[in-house]
Amino acid sequence: MNKPIIELENISFSYPDSNIKILDKLNFKVFKNDKIGIIAPNGSGKTTLFYTIMGLCKPFSGNIKILGKLVKTEKDFSFVRSKIGLMFQDADDQLFSPTVLDDVAFGPLNLGYSNIDACDIAKKILYDLGLEEFENSITHRLSGGQKRLVAFASVLAMKPSILLLDEPTAGLDTNAKEKIEKILMNLDISYIVISHEFNFINKITNKTVSMENGKIFKDDEVHIHQHEHIHKLGKLPHKHV
Ligand SMILES: Nc1ncnc2c1ncn2[C@@H]1O[C@H](COP(=O)(O)OP(=O)(O)OP(=O)(O)O)[C@@H](O)[C@H]1O
Ligand SMILES: [Mg+2]
C-alpha cells in the first residue's frame, strides 16, 4: 500500500497567549510523487501548517508522522529537518551567512559534506539558478528578489526528500519565476507549494488544496479556476485569490 510520507492527524494549534485555533483538528496526507499547491487567503494558517510539519510550532493535540515515523521530540524533528527542506516566506529568516556562497553551502556542510563538496554543490545550484555572479556578494545587500532566489538555492542544496515552499515566487520577475518553475518541473521529489499565483500553481503541481477555519480542503472540494469577469479598474493588472 502507498503510505503517506507526511501525515497530520487531528492537529490543533494556537499561538501562545491566544485561544484562537489556527489549526483545528486538521488532517492532511501527502504521498510520494505528490506535488501539492496550497492556495488560501492571508492569515488562514498556511505558514503555520509548514512550521508545524517542521516542528517549529508545537500542536497541543494530534499526531505528526513523517516518512512513516511518529515525530514528537526535538530529536525526532532534527531527523525531519534533515529530510524536509523549508523555504521560508521571508528570505531574511533563511539567510544569515556573510556571503551568498556561504549561505548556500551552509546546509550541505551541516549535513556532513566536506568544505570542497559543500562548495561544489552550492556553486552548481547557484549556476543552475543563474546566480553564479553573486557567489561572493554580501547576502543582506541583495535585492528582495535576489534574496528569494538565494533562499531557494540554499534549500535545494540540502537535497531534501520533500520540499515545502512558502510563496517562492512572491516579488519575482518573470525570468526568475521561470527559473523556479523549470527547476521544480524537473525535480523528482514531492513538494508542497504555498502561492497566491494561479498560473504558477497550475504549472508545477498535480493537486491543489485550500485552507479555511484551521482545516485543509481537498482537491475534490475546491475548484480553483480563472474566469472572465468585469469590474472597475479591471484593465489594470490585478489578482484574485
Ligand atoms: N507568532 C505569532 N503569534 C501570534 N499569532 C500569530 C503568529 N504568527 C501568525 N499568527 C497568526 O496566525 C494566523 C495564521 O498565520 P499564518 O502566517 O500561518 O497565515 P498564512 O496563511 O501563512 O498567511 P499569509 O498568506 O499572509 O502568509 C494569522 O491570524 C496570524 O496573525
Ligand atoms: Mg504565510
Side-chain angles (χ1 to χ4, degrees):
M1 210 185 90
N2 191 7
K3 280 199 180 156
I5 50 175
I6 298 179
E7 186 169 12
L8 305 184
E9 284 174 341
N10 278 319
I11 294 291
S12 295
F13 172 81
S14 303
Y15 281 99
D17 305 321
S18 160
N19 49 17
I20 301 167
K21 285 185 193 150
I22 308 297
L23 309 180
D24 188 11
K25 299 201 182 93
L26 176 145
N27 290 294
F28 187 35
K29 284 183 189 166
V30 180
F31 294 91
K32 197 163 178 265
N33 301 324
D34 274 353
K35 295 174 192 292
I36 299 177
I38 303 183
I39 297 194
N42 294 131
S44 55
K46 305 178 296 298
T47 297
T48 307
L49 173 72
F50 276 6
Y51 284 179
T52 305
I53 294 171
M54 300 303 283
L56 305 173
C57 286
K58 303 278 186 218
F60 61 79
S61 69
N63 284 325
I64 304 174
K65 286 184 200 155
I66 307 288
L67 299 169
K69 265 182 66 170
L70 187 66
V71 286
K72 280 195 181 293
T73 63
E74 202 37 46
K75 191 169 160 232
D76 297 337
F77 279 105
S78 5
F79 159 77
V80 171
R81 290 175 207 133
S82 71
K83 296 286 175 195
I84 304 185
L86 167 66
M87 178 178 169
F88 284 85
Q89 183 165 1
D90 182 347
D92 286 325
D93 289 335
Q94 194 108 41
L95 306 171
F96 44 79
S97 302
T99 70
V100 167
L101 189 61
D102 291 336
D103 252 320
V104 182
F106 178 85
L109 270 178
N110 218 23
L111 291 176
Y113 285 93
S114 70
N115 265 327
I116 293 177
D117 288 347
C119 215
D120 282 350
I121 293 170
K123 283 186 174 196
K124 158 114 192 17
I125 287 162
L126 286 169
Y127 178 82
D128 290 346
L129 281 163
L131 295 170
E132 65 274 24
E133 63 181 294
F134 295 109
E135 266 177 32
N136 298 313
S137 303
I138 313 279
T139 314
H140 78 263
R141 287 196 198 142
L142 296 178
S143 75
Q146 290 164 340
K147 277 188 197 166
R148 199 170 283 276
L149 281 179
V150 173
F152 184 58
S154 73
V155 178
L156 288 180
M158 295 181 70
K159 302 193 189 302
S161 313
I162 304 166
L163 262 180
L164 307 182
L165 306 168
D166 199 343
E167 303 198 23
T169 56
L172 293 189
D173 63 34
T174 312
N175 185 27
K177 246 177 235 181
E178 281 172 0
K179 277 182 201 157
I180 291 195
E181 279 171 10
K182 199 170 149 211
I183 286 182
L184 289 178
M185 286 194 284
N186 287 310
L187 266 188
D188 202 16
I189 59 171
S190 307
Y191 53 75
I192 312 174
V193 182
I194 296 169
S195 176
H196 297 287
E197 297 183 52
F198 171 86
N199 287 334
F200 172 65
I201 288 282
N202 211 20
K203 262 190 212 159
I204 53 118
T205 64
N206 54 23
K207 278 187 189 174
T208 314
V209 299
S210 190
M211 280 187 81
E212 200 182 316
N213 300 327
K215 291 186 174 62
I216 295 269
F217 285 83
K218 287 198 216 79
D219 207 11
D220 47 356
E221 296 156 42
V222 265
H223 299 281
I224 294 161
H225 59 281
Q226 281 187 312
H227 58 102
E228 302 286 331
H229 58 279
I230 300 173
H231 55 70
K232 272 187 176 174
L233 303 175
K235 279 186 181 166
L236 298 173
H238 62 282
K239 284 183 186 168
H240 292 271
V241 175

